[in-house]
Amino acid sequence: MKKFFEEFKAFIMTGNVLMLAVAFIMGGAIALVVKSFMDNIISPIIGAIVGHPSFDNVLKIGDGRVTYGAFITDVFNLVIVGLVLFAMVKAYDNFQKNKPAEEPSDEIKLLTEIRDSLRARS
């Protein structure tokens, strides 16, 4: 059992799992910010234009209710979340492009010299 927990600890401590955990937490935080943006900024604007702040349209079929307006609101929220995430990825990509190139390590320089000398001999 001790070996199992040691392997689990090694698995959890790998960079990929930690990055996934950070991404999951950041995704939740971004969702809260986008929800607040929708509830406090976009919905009042929609309310000023349409007359009520959300698409709460309901279609009654017998005893059933089809709340297609709530679906439209959720799709609108999804599009906003997608736009925010797209903007964040674009900003990150631009940051990575403008980042200065790192100087290769001494080991890489030495391996490059060895490779070049071996090619010259061939």
Side-chain angles (χ1 to χ4, degrees):
M1 193 68 164
K2 184 177 179 183
K3 184 179 177 184
F4 174 78
F5 285 117
E6 288 174 6
E7 290 176 359
F8 181 71
K9 180 182 173 186
F11 169 73
I12 290 296
M13 296 309 289
T14 61
N16 292 341
V17 174
L18 291 175
M19 293 300 287
L20 180 62
V22 169
F24 183 77
I25 292 168
M26 287 299 296
I30 289 170
L32 289 174
V33 169
V34 170
K35 182 176 180 349
S36 176
F37 176 72
M38 289 299 298
D39 292 344
N40 300 317
I41 295 173
I42 298 297
S43 291
I45 292 172
I46 291 172
I49 295 170
V50 179
H52 48 88
S54 64
F55 305 104
D56 290 332
N57 302 335
V58 176
L59 176 65
K60 293 183 181 182
I61 302 174
D63 291 338
R65 293 172 29 125
V66 178
T67 56
Y68 67 92
F71 177 74
I72 292 171
T73 301
D74 291 340
V75 168
F76 195 68
N77 290 346
L78 176 67
V79 169
I80 296 295
V81 169
L83 289 173
V84 168
L85 291 176
F86 177 74
M88 290 175 62
V89 169
K90 289 292 284 184
Y92 177 78
D93 287 344
N94 287 337
F95 174 75
Q96 290 296 329
K97 286 179 187 175
N98 296 332
K99 189 175 166 182
E102 294 182 14
E103 182 72 22
S105 67
D106 292 336
E107 292 86 6
I108 299 294
K109 290 178 184 177
L110 179 62
L111 288 171
T112 303
E113 289 177 20
I114 293 170
R115 181 199 64 200
D116 292 344
S117 68
L118 288 173
R119 282 186 182 166
R121 287 185 185 176
S122 297

